[in-house]
C-alpha cells in the first residue's frame, strides 16, 4: 500500500509540474500576443460560437499581468496533487466534472449580473478539486480524508467566499460556484457502492 501511494505521489508531482509548465507557456504566448488567446479561447456567455471554449478557457489566464496565473498556481498544484493520490481515475473524474461544470455554468450564467466579459482561468477547476477534497471523505467514510478536508478548510476555506456574486469585479463567481458543484458531483459519482449504512 505504501509503495502504491509513493508511485501515485511521484506521478502526481510529475503531472502537476507538467500542467503548471504548460499553463506558464500558454501565458507567455498570450502576453506576447497581447491577449490573442484570451479573445480566441475565452468563454463568451450564451454565444453559441463560444461553446467550444468551455474546453479551452481554463488553460488561458489574464494577459495583462502574471498575477492571475500566479494566484492560481499553488492551489491548483496542491489540490491536483492531493486528488491524484486517490488514483488516476479519481483525479480525472474530479478534473473533468469540475472543468465542464465550471465552463458550462459560465457559458449559461456568466455576465448576468454585470457587464459582458470573456472568462478565462483555472479557478473553476481549482474550486472543483477543492470541493472534491472537502466532501469525498464523508462519502467514503474515511477519517483520514475527513481530517485532510478539515485541514484544507482551515487553510483555504476563505476562498469559498468566491462563489458569492458579491466577490468583486473581474472575478467569475459562476466559474467558482459551478466548478465547486462539479467537484462535489465527482465525489458523489466516485463514492463506494453497496456499503451498508453505519
Amino acid at each position: 500500500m505504501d509503495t502504491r501511494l509513493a508511485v501515485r505521489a511521484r506521478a502526481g508531482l510529475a503531472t502537476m509540474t507538467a500542467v503548471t509548465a504548460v499553463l506558464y507557456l500558454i501565458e507567455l504566448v498570450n502576453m506576447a500576443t497581447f491577449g490573442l488567446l484570451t479573445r480566441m479561447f475565452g468563454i463568451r456567455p450564451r454565444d453559441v460560437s463560444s461553446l467550444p471554449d468551455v474546453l479551452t478557457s481554463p488553460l488561458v489566464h489574464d494577459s495583462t499581468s502574471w498575477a492571475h496565473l500566479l494566484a492560481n498556481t499553488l492551489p491548483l498544484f496542491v489540490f491536483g496533487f492531493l486528488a491524484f493520490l486517490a488514483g488516476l481515475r479519481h483525479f480525472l473524474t474530479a478534473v473533468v466534472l469540475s472543468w465542464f461544470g465550471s465552463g458550462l455554468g459560465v457559458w449559461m450564467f456568466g455576465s448576468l449580473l454585470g457587464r459582458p466579459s470573456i472568462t478565462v482561468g483555472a479557478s473553476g477547476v481549482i474550486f472543483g478539486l477543492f470541493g472534491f477534497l472537502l466532501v469525498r471523505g464523508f462519502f467514503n467514510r474515511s477519517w483520514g480524508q475527513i481530517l485532510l478536508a478539515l485541514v484544507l478548510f482551515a487553510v483555504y476555506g476563505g476562498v469559498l467566499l468566491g462563489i458569492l456574486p458579491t466577490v468583486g469585479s473581474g472575478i467569475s463567481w459562476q466559474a467558482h460556484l459551478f466548478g465547486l458543484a462539479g467537484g462535489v458531483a465527482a465525489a458523489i459519482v466516485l463514492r463506494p457502492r453497496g456499503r451498508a449504512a453505519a
Side-chain angles (χ1 to χ4, degrees), residues 86-107:
L88 181 60
R89 183 172 70 92
H90 287 69
F91 171 77
L92 291 177
T93 301
V95 168
V96 167
L97 291 182
S98 302
W99 193 302
F100 279 93
S102 173
L104 291 173
V106 167
W107 187 84

